[in-house]
Amino acid sequence: MTHLQRARCHLKAHPLALDVALAGAVLVCMLAASFVDPHGSHGGAWTARTPDPLSLFLMVLGAAALILRRRDPVKVLAFTGAASLVESVTADPRAPVAMSAVIALYTVASATDRPTTWRVGLVTMTVLTGSAMLAGPLPWYAQENLGIFAWTGMAATAGDAVRSRRAFVGAIRERAERAERTREEEARRRVAEERLRIARDLHDVVAHHIALVNVQAGVAAHVMDKRPDQAKEALAHVREASRSALNELRATVGLLRQSGDPEAPTEPAPGLHRLDELVGTFHNAGLQVEVARADQGTTLPAAIDLAAYRVIQEALTNVRKHAGGAAKAEVSVVRVGPNIEITVLDNGPGQGNGPEDGGGHGLLGMRERVTAVGGNCSVGPRYGGGFRVHAILPLKSSARAGDGAGSPVQRTA
């Protein structure tokens, strides 16, 4: 930072010091001009002169009033204008007291609006110029009288231009700050959406695989002594389920890695192409699942494919956890026009813990996931017993706002 920039910053931080310095400079200029007579007696050459004591007193008062120009610019203009009016009417020779009124008029123009500037400027210009022309000691066409007219007009114009530029720069700065706030809010919104998506994936992975691990571990503990071969098979399923859980958790958490971290696994996201594998894990856990598909030849977008897979995974996990050991489940995947419909039915008791009973958020997350891709999800008990999950997913992903329609949730993971 240069010395000039440092001085400018210091003066902006101390406006009163700036006004004192300005008042001193204006006083020096007025005194210097008051001792010079442009209408000398020797062929128009400038000569020295001595101003009247009243003119000296009015110059000091006008310069001192400028110290308060920021506090009350209109009153300062009125005071300096009155001093200039008295000086222009009574003083001979004329002293440049009007310089203080010019500075005060500039301050009013830069601190108020345009209509006020033009009204005050017109009044000041008319009063000072008119009084100097009509009641002053000089002829009305004297250069000093025309100079008052010109200087007051330029002061009003310059002050208005400074005020307009200041307002323009302020508007640009405000728009830039608003745009910055908008970008920050958008970034926070995207982060929140990404966190919610990752939370859903983590819930789906953990709820599914941990439920299977729990069931198989219970089976292994039950048959360990009498049927060790079956216990080994159950433990093998536990190991396979835990390995799958770890792989999916690693893939999900890999999305949170920074650019300098090791690369995340590149295994594709699960979809309906892994439906048989998913159903097989539930078969191994003792749940009877029947699958009916009528979506041959349908290619789903990645978001729709993942949502369909997670809906089935969450629904079967709920069946295994809440419907009892003798429950059976039916899964159907059908293409109906521009949509793919997922239905999961079971013949369990159809009762469980809802969110208000301290249950989990599996079905709530299921609804949010389906709604996020523009679909519709309904869950609730079946007529005659059991539970039903029905999701309609569009073949073309188009996120839309709104709550997923459906019956009140009766059971959650």
Side-chain angles (χ1 to χ4, degrees), residues 55-89:
S55 298
L56 294 175
F57 179 69
L58 292 176
M59 283 187 287
V60 173
L61 287 182
L66 293 179
I67 299 176
L68 304 177
R69 67 188 185 97
R70 297 177 190 267
R71 184 174 303 177
D72 200 337
V74 176
K75 290 183 179 180
V76 171
L77 175 60
F79 181 83
T80 55
S84 302
L85 179 62
V86 172
E87 193 277 337
S88 63
V89 173

Coordinates of all heavy atoms in Angstrom, one line a residue, residues 55-89:
S55 N -15.2 41.2 5.6 CA -15.0 40.1 4.7 C -14.1 39.0 5.3 O -14.3 37.8 5.1 CB -14.3 40.6 3.4 OG -15.2 41.5 2.7
L56 N -13.0 39.5 6.0 CA -12.2 38.5 6.7 C -13.0 37.7 7.7 O -12.8 36.5 7.9 CB -11.0 39.2 7.4 CG -10.0 39.9 6.4 CD1 -9.0 40.7 7.2 CD2 -9.3 38.8 5.6
F57 N -13.8 38.4 8.5 CA -14.6 37.7 9.5 C -15.6 36.7 8.8 O -15.7 35.6 9.3 CB -15.4 38.7 10.3 CG -16.3 38.1 11.3 CD1 -15.8 37.5 12.5 CD2 -17.7 38.2 11.2 CE1 -16.6 37.0 13.4 CE2 -18.5 37.6 12.2 CZ -18.0 37.0 13.3
L58 N -16.2 37.1 7.7 CA -17.2 36.2 7.0 C -16.4 35.0 6.4 O -17.0 33.9 6.4 CB -17.9 36.9 5.9 CG -18.9 38.0 6.4 CD1 -19.5 38.8 5.3 CD2 -20.0 37.4 7.3
M59 N -15.2 35.2 5.9 CA -14.4 34.1 5.4 C -14.1 33.0 6.5 O -14.2 31.8 6.3 CB -13.2 34.6 4.7 CG -13.4 35.2 3.4 SD -11.8 35.6 2.5 CE -11.3 37.1 3.4
V60 N -13.7 33.5 7.6 CA -13.4 32.6 8.8 C -14.7 31.9 9.2 O -14.6 30.6 9.4 CB -12.8 33.4 9.9 CG1 -12.7 32.5 11.2 CG2 -11.5 34.0 9.6
L61 N -15.8 32.6 9.3 CA -17.1 31.9 9.7 C -17.5 30.9 8.6 O -17.9 29.7 9.0 CB -18.2 32.9 9.8 CG -18.1 33.8 11.1 CD1 -19.3 34.8 11.1 CD2 -18.1 33.0 12.4
G62 N -17.4 31.2 7.3 CA -17.8 30.3 6.3 C -16.9 29.0 6.3 O -17.4 27.9 6.2
A63 N -15.6 29.2 6.5 CA -14.7 28.0 6.5 C -14.9 27.2 7.7 O -14.9 26.0 7.7 CB -13.2 28.5 6.4
A64 N -15.2 27.8 8.9 CA -15.4 27.1 10.1 C -16.7 26.3 10.0 O -16.8 25.1 10.5 CB -15.5 28.0 11.3
A65 N -17.7 26.8 9.3 CA -19.0 26.1 9.2 C -18.8 24.8 8.4 O -19.6 23.8 8.6 CB -20.0 27.0 8.5
L66 N -17.8 24.8 7.5 CA -17.6 23.6 6.7 C -17.2 22.4 7.5 O -17.3 21.2 7.0 CB -16.6 23.8 5.6 CG -17.0 24.8 4.5 CD1 -15.9 25.1 3.5 CD2 -18.3 24.4 3.8
I67 N -16.7 22.6 8.7 CA -16.3 21.4 9.5 C -17.5 20.6 9.9 O -17.4 19.4 10.1 CB -15.6 22.0 10.8 CG1 -14.4 22.7 10.5 CG2 -15.3 20.8 11.8 CD1 -13.7 23.4 11.7
L68 N -18.7 21.2 9.9 CA -19.9 20.5 10.3 C -20.8 20.1 9.0 O -21.9 19.8 9.1 CB -20.8 21.3 11.2 CG -20.1 21.8 12.5 CD1 -21.0 22.7 13.3 CD2 -19.7 20.6 13.3
R69 N -20.2 20.1 7.9 CA -20.9 19.9 6.6 C -21.5 18.5 6.5 O -22.6 18.3 5.9 CB -20.1 20.2 5.4 CG -18.9 19.2 5.2 CD -18.0 19.6 4.1 NE -17.0 18.6 3.8 CZ -17.1 17.7 2.9 NH1 -18.2 17.7 2.1 NH2 -16.1 16.8 2.7
R70 N -20.9 17.5 7.1 CA -21.5 16.1 7.0 C -22.6 15.9 8.0 O -23.5 15.1 7.8 CB -20.4 15.1 7.3 CG -19.3 15.1 6.3 CD -18.2 14.0 6.7 NE -17.0 14.1 5.9 CZ -16.8 13.4 4.8 NH1 -17.7 12.6 4.3 NH2 -15.6 13.6 4.1
R71 N -22.5 16.7 9.2 CA -23.5 16.5 10.2 C -24.9 17.1 9.8 O -25.9 16.4 10.0 CB -23.0 17.1 11.5 CG -24.0 16.9 12.7 CD -23.3 17.4 14.0 NE -22.0 16.8 14.2 CZ -21.2 17.1 15.2 NH1 -21.6 18.1 16.0 NH2 -20.1 16.5 15.4
D72 N -24.9 18.3 9.2 CA -26.1 18.9 8.8 C -25.8 19.7 7.6 O -25.6 21.0 7.7 CB -26.7 19.8 9.9 CG -28.2 20.0 9.7 OD1 -28.6 20.0 8.6 OD2 -28.9 20.3 10.7
P73 N -25.8 19.1 6.4 CA -25.3 19.9 5.2 C -26.3 21.0 4.8 O -25.8 22.0 4.3 CB -25.3 18.8 4.1 CG -26.2 17.7 4.6 CD -26.0 17.7 6.1
V74 N -27.6 20.9 5.0 CA -28.5 21.9 4.6 C -28.3 23.2 5.5 O -28.3 24.3 4.9 CB -30.0 21.4 4.7 CG1 -31.0 22.5 4.4 CG2 -30.2 20.2 3.7
K75 N -28.2 23.0 6.8 CA -28.0 24.2 7.6 C -26.6 24.8 7.3 O -26.5 26.1 7.4 CB -28.0 23.7 9.1 CG -29.4 23.3 9.5 CD -29.4 23.0 11.0 CE -30.9 22.6 11.5 NZ -30.9 22.3 12.9
V76 N -25.6 24.0 7.1 CA -24.3 24.6 6.7 C -24.4 25.4 5.4 O -23.9 26.5 5.3 CB -23.2 23.5 6.6 CG1 -21.9 24.1 6.0 CG2 -23.0 22.9 8.0
L77 N -25.2 24.9 4.4 CA -25.4 25.6 3.2 C -26.1 26.9 3.5 O -25.8 28.0 2.9 CB -26.1 24.8 2.2 CG -26.6 25.4 0.9 CD1 -25.3 25.9 0.1 CD2 -27.4 24.5 0.0
A78 N -27.1 26.9 4.3 CA -27.9 28.1 4.6 C -27.0 29.1 5.3 O -27.0 30.3 5.0 CB -29.1 27.8 5.5
F79 N -26.1 28.7 6.2 CA -25.2 29.6 6.9 C -24.2 30.2 6.0 O -24.0 31.4 5.9 CB -24.5 28.9 8.1 CG -23.6 29.8 8.9 CD1 -24.2 30.6 9.9 CD2 -22.3 29.8 8.6 CE1 -23.3 31.4 10.6 CE2 -21.4 30.6 9.4 CZ -22.0 31.4 10.4
T80 N -23.5 29.4 5.2 CA -22.5 29.9 4.3 C -23.1 30.7 3.1 O -22.5 31.7 2.7 CB -21.7 28.7 3.6 OG1 -22.6 27.8 3.0 CG2 -20.9 28.0 4.7
G81 N -24.4 30.3 2.7 CA -25.1 31.2 1.7 C -25.4 32.5 2.3 O -25.3 33.6 1.5
A82 N -25.8 32.6 3.5 CA -26.1 33.9 4.1 C -24.9 34.8 4.3 O -24.9 36.0 4.0 CB -26.8 33.7 5.5
A83 N -23.7 34.1 4.6 CA -22.5 34.9 4.7 C -22.1 35.4 3.4 O -21.6 36.5 3.2 CB -21.4 34.0 5.3
S84 N -22.2 34.6 2.3 CA -21.9 35.0 1.0 C -22.8 36.1 0.5 O -22.4 37.0 -0.2 CB -22.0 33.8 0.0 OG -21.1 32.8 0.4
L85 N -24.1 36.0 0.9 CA -25.0 37.1 0.5 C -24.7 38.4 1.1 O -24.7 39.5 0.4 CB -26.4 36.7 0.9 CG -27.6 37.6 0.6 CD1 -27.7 37.9 -0.9 CD2 -28.9 37.1 1.1
V86 N -24.3 38.4 2.4 CA -23.9 39.6 3.1 C -22.7 40.2 2.5 O -22.6 41.4 2.2 CB -23.8 39.4 4.6 CG1 -23.2 40.6 5.3 CG2 -25.1 39.0 5.2
E87 N -21.7 39.3 2.2 CA -20.5 39.8 1.6 C -20.6 40.4 0.2 O -20.0 41.4 -0.1 CB -19.5 38.6 1.6 CG -18.0 39.1 1.4 CD -17.7 39.2 -0.1 OE1 -18.4 38.6 -1.0 OE2 -16.8 40.0 -0.4
S88 N -21.5 39.7 -0.6 CA -21.6 40.2 -2.0 C -22.4 41.5 -2.1 O -22.2 42.3 -3.0 CB -22.4 39.2 -2.8 OG -23.7 39.0 -2.3
V89 N -23.2 41.8 -1.0 CA -24.0 43.1 -1.0 C -23.2 44.2 -0.4 O -23.3 45.4 -0.9 CB -25.3 42.8 -0.3 CG1 -26.1 44.2 -0.2 CG2 -26.2 41.9 -1.1

